[in-house]
Amino acid sequence: MDGTAENTATPEKTQPERLITALRGAERRLAGRPKEATLGERWESLSAAAAEADLSGDVDIYGDGVVADLEARVAALLGKEAAAFFPTGTMAQQVALRCWAGRTGNSTVALHPLAHPEVHEREALTTVAGLRTVHPTRAARQIDADDVHDMGEPFGTLMLELPLRDAGFVLPTWEELEEVCEAARARDAVIHFDGARLWETTVHFGRPLDEIAELADSVYVSFYKSLGGLSGAVLAGPESFVGEARAWRHRYGGQVFQQFPQAIAALAGLERELPRLPDYVAHARVVAQALREGFAEAGVAGARVFPEVPHTHQFRVWLPYDAEPLTEAGIAQAQETRTALFAQWSDEGSVPGFATTEVTVAGAGLEWGPDDVRAAVADFVGRIPW
């Protein structure tokens, strides 16, 4: 022996790892995320979707079969001539904006600086697609008609993210949306909707999906953010535009040999989750009100739920603490009471001295009444180190 001992100590888990473990062990969760499900749970969910699906059709080969069925279904829901399935929304949007740049002859895209391509895609629009982006406003709100009218230079495409997640899942009013689209068309620009979460906007707008999508020349929608799918997205628009998008999808490496598991999961989401989204939105407003009341009763000065009346089934909570102790309080609550109110908190917000978290009210959240929320808030606040 050389006197050295093998180190067999188990490495300490990181805070995110401990949080996931705590959330998995909770018997009640206000909302769940795909990351918190085990591999077995996700497989069970996919198996259940397959058991309920019509499997008499054809397996897809490079986008036909069940994938083509999904494309047709979404095109009809959005009232568009055609639709193409993409493995990711990032690819779908890059292709859409690239196609419009070629068709308009203008490679400048007007979008919000908090929009997904600017925040979460590593400058792909400029680095990969060679496009240029401009920002009609830097305010943490939706772009409005005045912003578009006041642009000092031309642009070929206006991209609107509906809802704008990083501003708090906010939406314009229906009248504001009509006005900003009219303003863009008055400047000879086309309109593309980043509708990753467009599915849940119908309550706020008071309009069906096809009427909302009609305002745009093209629309992208996601299948995993709201519908519980595995992955994948659809880009919908005019037939010739979608045909060109398919060519660019191939060039980008998105012409995948088979994607039937993603297609089955997406079709199941359209059947099971899409009809429930209005209930989720309605109950999110109940939960948001109860959270405000709970923090007020607990004496947390400065606590904020935004928007006060959620525009969708997702919203943000701001508290005047650092993120780390808030996440630790949530871990302790889930471990000791088997009730999980919040997930990860972040200091990466726009308000100094405040941490923020996102709340998504979905199926599990419908079981939470106002009294349940207020009681969980009181317990949570009691675990924050002052």
Side-chain angles (χ1 to χ4, degrees):
M1 299 291 289
D2 60 2
T4 62
E6 184 179 352
N7 185 2
T8 59
T10 303
E12 287 190 16
K13 289 184 177 181
T14 64
Q15 188 183 64
E17 290 172 336
R18 290 188 295 107
L19 175 62
I20 289 174
T21 299
L23 292 174
R24 286 175 176 173
E27 297 172 357
R28 296 190 70 204
R29 288 186 290 178
L30 181 60
R33 299 177 301 172
K35 184 185 293 187
E36 292 147 21
T38 65
L39 181 60
E41 289 169 339
R42 291 297 283 166
W43 181 259
E44 182 179 352
S45 175
L46 180 60
S47 299
E52 297 174 6
D54 178 4
L55 302 182
S56 62
D58 296 327
V59 172
D60 61 303
I61 303 294
Y62 292 122
D64 61 6
V66 68
V67 171
D69 294 341
L70 174 62
E71 291 172 341
R73 175 78 182 277
V74 175
L77 283 170
L78 298 177
K80 297 300 184 184
E81 290 180 357
F85 184 84
F86 281 77
T88 71
T90 296
M91 184 186 295
Q93 299 226 103
Q94 286 183 48
V95 166
L97 296 172
R98 183 170 198 150
C99 289
W100 284 128
R103 289 171 172 240
T104 63
N106 189 323
S107 62
T108 300
V109 180
L111 76 173
H112 200 286
L114 293 177
H116 195 278
E118 297 289 68
V119 180
H120 301 289
E121 298 180 17
R122 299 191 176 189
E123 297 83 39
L125 287 183
T126 54
T127 305
V128 179
L131 304 180
R132 176 171 172 266
T133 62
V134 293
H135 305 142
T137 182
R138 291 190 173 275
R141 56 164 174 78
Q142 285 282 348
I143 296 168
D144 64 24
D146 287 340
D147 299 326
V148 172
H149 284 305
D150 293 341
M151 288 290 293
E153 58 184 303
F155 53 91
T157 306
L158 173 67
M159 195 204 89
L160 298 173
E161 183 178 321
L162 302 173
L164 185 57
R165 174 194 176 180
D166 285 317
F169 303 97
V170 296
L171 290 164
T173 66
W174 178 251
E175 292 73 21
E176 288 168 341
L177 182 59
E178 287 184 310
E179 289 169 0
V180 73
C181 291
E182 290 171 3
R185 297 200 190 284
R187 300 195 58 157
D188 297 322
V190 297
I191 299 158
H192 170 74
F193 283 172
D194 175 342
R197 298 172 174 84
L198 192 73
W199 309 112
E200 58 264 35
T201 65
T202 56
V203 175
H204 177 83
F205 288 138
R207 301 290 193 283
L209 281 169
D210 58 349
E211 191 171 342
I212 298 168
E214 187 178 8
L215 294 178
D217 297 281
S218 61
V219 180
Y220 138 69
V221 290
S222 174
F223 295 116
Y224 75 87
K225 290 182 170 66
S226 304
L227 301 182
L230 293 179
S231 62
V234 152
L235 176 63
E239 185 77 51
S240 63
F241 170 83
V242 172
E244 183 184 358
R246 292 179 189 276
W248 279 106
R249 179 183 65 185
H250 197 173
R251 296 183 182 114
Y252 271 68
Q255 189 79 352
V256 180
F257 178 57
Q258 287 190 320
Q259 298 179 94
F260 64 88
Q262 289 91 332
I264 290 172
L267 287 166
L270 291 174
E271 289 293 329
R272 296 188 303 197
E273 289 299 297
L274 184 58
R276 303 184 72 189
L277 285 173
D279 292 336
Y280 297 166
V281 175
H283 199 63
R285 297 171 178 178
V286 174
V287 170
Q289 175 66 23
L291 286 171
R292 287 198 302 274
E293 293 169 352
F295 286 119
E297 292 168 2
V300 182
R304 186 182 184 193
V305 176
F306 182 81
E308 285 194 6
V309 178
H311 297 173
T312 71
H313 71 312
Q314 298 179 286
F315 56 90
R316 288 193 168 187
V317 176
W318 299 83
L319 291 180
Y321 304 96
D322 292 332
E324 183 175 354
L326 293 179
T327 301
E328 289 295 338
I331 292 172
Q333 182 178 41
Q335 289 175 333
E336 296 171 20
T337 70
R338 294 293 186 267
T339 295
L341 183 60
F342 301 116
Q344 188 80 37
W345 289 81
S346 172
D347 289 317
E348 298 178 3
S350 58
V351 184
F354 280 70
T356 185
T357 191
E358 294 178 348
V359 175
T360 301
V361 178
L366 296 180
E367 300 175 2
W368 288 62
D371 290 342
D372 299 319
V373 175
R374 287 190 290 264
V377 168
D379 180 84
F380 174 80
V381 171
R383 298 174 184 275
I384 302 172
W386 295 80

